[in-house]
Structure formats: structure tokens, C-alpha cells
Coordinates of all heavy atoms in Angstrom, one line a residue:
P22 N 5.5 14.2 12.7 CA 6.3 14.4 13.8 C 7.4 13.4 14.0 O 8.4 13.6 14.6 CB 5.4 14.4 15.0 CG 4.0 14.7 14.5 CD 4.0 14.2 13.0
D23 N 7.2 12.2 13.4 CA 8.2 11.1 13.5 C 9.1 11.0 12.3 O 9.8 10.0 12.1 CB 7.4 9.8 13.7 CG 7.0 9.6 15.1 OD1 6.1 10.3 15.6 OD2 7.6 8.8 15.9
G24 N 9.0 12.0 11.4 CA 9.9 12.0 10.2 C 9.0 12.0 9.0 O 7.8 11.9 9.0
D25 N 9.7 12.1 7.8 CA 9.1 12.1 6.5 C 8.6 10.7 6.2 O 9.3 9.7 6.5 CB 10.0 12.6 5.4 CG 10.3 14.1 5.6 OD1 9.5 14.8 6.3 OD2 11.2 14.5 4.9
I26 N 7.4 10.6 5.6 CA 6.9 9.3 5.2 C 6.4 9.3 3.7 O 6.2 10.4 3.2 CB 5.8 8.8 6.1 CG1 4.6 9.7 6.1 CG2 6.3 8.6 7.5 CD1 3.3 9.2 6.8
L27 N 6.2 8.2 3.1 CA 5.7 8.1 1.8 C 4.2 8.3 1.7 O 3.5 7.8 2.5 CB 6.1 6.7 1.2 CG 6.2 6.5 -0.3 CD1 7.2 7.4 -0.9 CD2 6.5 5.0 -0.6
A28 N 3.8 9.0 0.7 CA 2.3 9.3 0.5 C 2.1 9.5 -1.0 O 3.0 9.5 -1.8 CB 1.9 10.6 1.2
T29 N 0.8 9.6 -1.4 CA 0.5 9.9 -2.8 C 0.4 11.4 -2.9 O 0.3 12.2 -1.9 CB -0.9 9.3 -3.2 OG1 -1.9 10.0 -2.5 CG2 -0.9 7.8 -3.0
G30 N 0.4 11.9 -4.2 CA 0.3 13.3 -4.4 C -1.1 13.9 -3.9 O -1.2 15.1 -3.6
G31 N -2.1 13.0 -3.8 CA -3.4 13.4 -3.3 C -3.4 13.4 -1.7 O -4.5 13.7 -1.2
G32 N -2.3 13.1 -1.1 CA -2.3 13.1 0.4 C -2.6 11.8 1.1 O -2.7 11.8 2.3
A33 N -2.8 10.7 0.4 CA -3.0 9.5 1.0 C -1.8 8.9 1.6 O -0.8 8.7 0.8 CB -3.7 8.5 0.0
T34 N -1.7 8.5 2.8 CA -0.6 7.9 3.5 C -0.5 6.5 2.9 O -1.5 5.8 2.7 CB -0.8 7.9 5.0 OG1 -0.9 9.2 5.5 CG2 0.4 7.2 5.7
L35 N 0.8 6.1 2.7 CA 1.0 4.7 2.1 C 1.6 3.8 3.2 O 2.5 4.3 4.0 CB 1.9 4.8 0.9 CG 1.3 5.5 -0.3 CD1 2.3 5.7 -1.4 CD2 0.1 4.8 -0.8
Y36 N 1.2 2.6 3.3 CA 1.6 1.6 4.3 C 2.2 0.4 3.6 O 1.9 0.1 2.5 CB 0.4 1.2 5.1 CG -0.3 2.3 5.9 CD1 -1.3 3.1 5.3 CD2 0.1 2.6 7.2 CE1 -1.9 4.1 6.0 CE2 -0.5 3.6 7.9 CZ -1.5 4.4 7.3 OH -2.2 5.4 8.0
D37 N 3.0 -0.4 4.4 CA 3.4 -1.7 4.0 C 2.9 -2.7 5.0 O 2.5 -2.3 6.1 CB 4.9 -1.8 3.8 CG 5.7 -2.2 5.0 OD1 5.6 -1.4 6.0 OD2 6.3 -3.2 5.0
F38 N 2.8 -4.0 4.6 CA 2.3 -5.0 5.4 C 3.4 -6.0 5.6 O 3.9 -6.6 4.7 CB 1.1 -5.7 4.7 CG 0.3 -6.7 5.4 CD1 0.1 -6.6 6.8 CD2 -0.2 -7.8 4.7 CE1 -0.7 -7.6 7.5 CE2 -0.9 -8.8 5.4 CZ -1.2 -8.7 6.8
V39 N 3.8 -6.2 6.9 CA 5.0 -7.0 7.2 C 5.0 -8.4 6.6 O 6.0 -8.9 6.1 CB 5.3 -7.1 8.7 CG1 6.4 -8.0 9.1 CG2 5.6 -5.7 9.2
P40 N 3.9 -9.2 6.5 CA 3.9 -10.5 5.9 C 4.1 -10.5 4.4 O 4.4 -11.6 3.9 CB 2.5 -11.1 6.2 CG 2.0 -10.3 7.4 CD 2.6 -8.9 7.2
D41 N 4.1 -9.4 3.7 CA 4.3 -9.4 2.3 C 5.8 -9.7 2.0 O 6.7 -9.5 2.8 CB 4.1 -8.0 1.7 CG 2.6 -7.6 1.6 OD1 1.7 -8.5 1.7 OD2 2.3 -6.5 1.3
T42 N 6.1 -10.1 0.7 CA 7.4 -10.2 0.2 C 7.5 -9.3 -1.0 O 6.5 -8.8 -1.5 CB 7.7 -11.6 -0.2 OG1 7.0 -12.0 -1.4 CG2 7.5 -12.6 0.9
P43 N 8.7 -9.0 -1.5 CA 8.8 -8.1 -2.7 C 8.0 -8.6 -3.9 O 7.6 -7.8 -4.7 CB 10.3 -8.1 -3.0 CG 11.0 -8.4 -1.7 CD 10.0 -9.4 -1.0
K44 N 7.7 -9.9 -4.0 CA 7.0 -10.4 -5.2 C 5.6 -10.9 -4.8 O 4.9 -11.5 -5.7 CB 7.8 -11.5 -5.9 CG 9.1 -10.9 -6.4 CD 8.8 -10.0 -7.6 CE 10.1 -9.5 -8.2 NZ 9.9 -8.4 -9.1
H45 N 5.1 -10.8 -3.6 CA 3.9 -11.4 -3.2 C 3.2 -10.5 -2.1 O 3.7 -10.2 -1.1 CB 4.1 -12.8 -2.6 CG 2.8 -13.4 -2.1 ND1 1.8 -13.9 -2.9 CD2 2.4 -13.6 -0.8 CE1 0.8 -14.4 -2.1 NE2 1.2 -14.2 -0.9
S46 N 1.9 -10.2 -2.4 CA 1.1 -9.5 -1.4 C 0.4 -10.6 -0.5 O -0.2 -11.5 -1.1 CB 0.0 -8.7 -2.1 OG -1.0 -8.3 -1.1
A47 N 0.4 -10.5 0.8 CA -0.3 -11.4 1.7 C -1.7 -10.8 2.0 O -2.5 -11.5 2.7 CB 0.5 -11.6 3.0
C48 N -2.0 -9.6 1.6 CA -3.3 -9.0 1.8 C -4.2 -9.4 0.6 O -4.2 -8.7 -0.4 CB -3.2 -7.5 2.0 SG -4.8 -6.7 2.3
L49 N -4.9 -10.5 0.7 CA -5.7 -11.0 -0.4 C -7.2 -11.3 -0.2 O -8.0 -11.3 -1.1 CB -5.1 -12.3 -1.0 CG -3.6 -12.2 -1.4 CD1 -3.1 -13.6 -1.8 CD2 -3.5 -11.3 -2.6
N50 N -7.5 -11.5 1.1 CA -8.9 -11.8 1.4 C -9.8 -10.5 1.4 O -9.3 -9.4 1.4 CB -9.1 -12.6 2.7 CG -8.8 -11.7 3.9 OD1 -9.4 -10.7 4.2 ND2 -7.8 -12.2 4.7
D51 N -11.1 -10.7 1.3 CA -12.1 -9.6 1.2 C -11.9 -8.5 2.3 O -11.8 -7.3 2.0 CB -13.5 -10.1 1.2 CG -13.9 -10.9 0.0 OD1 -13.2 -10.8 -1.0 OD2 -14.9 -11.6 0.1
G52 N -11.8 -9.0 3.5 CA -11.6 -8.0 4.6 C -10.4 -7.2 4.6 O -10.4 -6.0 4.8
C53 N -9.3 -7.8 4.2 CA -8.0 -7.1 4.2 C -8.0 -6.1 3.0 O -7.6 -5.0 3.2 CB -6.8 -8.1 4.0 SG -5.2 -7.4 4.1
V54 N -8.4 -6.6 1.8 CA -8.4 -5.7 0.7 C -9.4 -4.5 0.8 O -9.1 -3.4 0.4 CB -8.7 -6.5 -0.6 CG1 -8.9 -5.6 -1.8 CG2 -7.6 -7.5 -0.9
F55 N -10.5 -4.7 1.5 CA -11.4 -3.6 1.8 C -10.8 -2.6 2.7 O -10.8 -1.4 2.5 CB -12.7 -4.2 2.4 CG -13.7 -3.0 2.7 CD1 -14.4 -2.4 1.8 CD2 -13.8 -2.6 4.1 CE1 -15.2 -1.3 2.1 CE2 -14.6 -1.6 4.4 CZ -15.4 -0.9 3.4
Q56 N -10.2 -3.1 3.8 CA -9.6 -2.2 4.9 C -8.3 -1.6 4.4 O -8.1 -0.4 4.7 CB -9.4 -3.0 6.1 CG -9.2 -2.2 7.3 CD -10.4 -1.5 7.9 OE1 -11.5 -1.8 7.5 NE2 -10.3 -0.6 8.7
W57 N -7.5 -2.3 3.6 CA -6.2 -1.8 3.2 C -6.1 -2.0 1.7 O -5.5 -2.9 1.1 CB -5.1 -2.7 3.8 CG -5.1 -2.7 5.3 CD1 -5.8 -3.5 6.1 CD2 -4.5 -1.7 6.1 NE1 -5.5 -3.2 7.5 CE2 -4.8 -2.1 7.5 CE3 -3.7 -0.6 5.9 CZ2 -4.3 -1.3 8.6 CZ3 -3.2 0.1 7.0 CH2 -3.5 -0.2 8.3
P58 N -6.7 -1.0 0.9 CA -6.7 -1.1 -0.6 C -5.3 -1.1 -1.1 O -4.5 -0.2 -0.8 CB -7.5 0.1 -1.0 CG -8.3 0.5 0.2 CD -7.5 0.1 1.4
P59 N -4.9 -2.1 -1.9 CA -3.6 -2.0 -2.6 C -3.5 -0.8 -3.5 O -4.4 -0.4 -4.1 CB -3.6 -3.3 -3.4 CG -4.7 -4.2 -2.8 CD -5.7 -3.3 -2.3
L60 N -2.3 -0.3 -3.6 CA -2.0 0.8 -4.5 C -1.7 0.2 -5.9 O -0.7 -0.5 -6.0 CB -0.9 1.7 -4.0 CG -0.6 3.0 -4.8 CD1 -1.8 3.9 -4.6 CD2 0.7 3.6 -4.4
V61 N -2.6 0.4 -6.8 CA -2.5 -0.3 -8.1 C -2.2 0.7 -9.2 O -2.7 1.8 -9.3 CB -3.9 -1.0 -8.4 CG1 -3.9 -1.7 -9.8 CG2 -4.2 -2.1 -7.4
E62 N -1.2 0.2 -10.1 CA -0.8 1.0 -11.2 C -1.8 1.0 -12.3 O -2.4 0.0 -12.6 CB 0.5 0.3 -11.7 CG 1.1 1.1 -12.9 CD 2.3 0.3 -13.5 OE1 2.2 -0.9 -13.7 OE2 3.3 1.0 -13.6
D63 N -2.1 2.3 -12.7 CA -3.1 2.5 -13.8 C -2.6 3.5 -14.8 O -3.3 4.4 -15.2 CB -4.4 2.8 -13.2 CG -5.6 2.8 -14.3 OD1 -5.5 2.0 -15.2 OD2 -6.5 3.6 -14.1
G64 N -1.3 3.6 -15.0 CA -0.7 4.6 -15.8 C 0.7 4.9 -15.3 O 1.3 4.2 -14.5
P65 N 1.3 6.0 -15.8 CA 2.6 6.4 -15.3 C 2.7 6.8 -13.9 O 1.8 7.3 -13.3 CB 2.9 7.6 -16.2 CG 1.6 8.1 -16.7 CD 0.7 7.0 -16.7
I66 N 3.8 6.4 -13.3 CA 4.1 6.8 -11.9 C 5.1 7.9 -11.9 O 6.2 7.7 -12.4 CB 4.6 5.5 -11.1 CG1 3.6 4.4 -11.2 CG2 4.9 5.9 -9.7 CD1 4.2 3.1 -10.7
T67 N 4.8 9.0 -11.2 CA 5.7 10.1 -11.1 C 6.2 10.1 -9.7 O 5.5 9.8 -8.7 CB 4.9 11.4 -11.4 OG1 4.3 11.3 -12.6 CG2 5.9 12.6 -11.3
V68 N 7.5 10.5 -9.5 CA 8.0 10.6 -8.2 C 8.3 12.1 -7.9 O 8.9 12.8 -8.7 CB 9.3 9.7 -8.0 CG1 8.9 8.3 -8.1 CG2 10.4 10.1 -8.9
G69 N 8.0 12.5 -6.7 CA 8.2 13.8 -6.3 C 9.6 14.0 -5.6 O 10.3 13.0 -5.5

């Protein structure tokens, strides 16, 4: 309802974390990584 957003082909909504920088993730501790799993490359990335 608030407009188009980025997601995966499987329907998982994708988020960004404001403290991050383009070259550094600030979500590194156990609690953060468990609650907010990083989207990790494991092969080719296709764009829809």
C-alpha cells in the first residue's frame, strides 16, 4: 500500500539497516544476525 519495495523471488521482504555503510555491515552480533539474516550471495543474482 505504500508503494513497490524490494523482495526476493521467494517473497521475502528485504530491509536495510541505517547504521550500515556501502562497504560495512553493522549487524554483526549474534542477536542481530539471528533476527535480521544478511542476504548472502551463493551463486548468480537475477534481477526481475
Side-chain angles (χ1 to χ4, degrees):
D23 282 69
D25 291 345
I26 62 172
L27 202 60
T29 68
T34 300
L35 296 173
Y36 298 88
D37 88 300
F38 187 36
V39 172
D41 286 348
T42 68
K44 296 292 180 191
H45 174 74
S46 168
C48 180
L49 299 173
N50 69 60
D51 292 341
C53 188
V54 170
F55 176 77
Q56 196 74 12
W57 301 93
L60 189 65
V61 176
E62 181 183 51
D63 190 32
I66 302 168
T67 306
V68 296

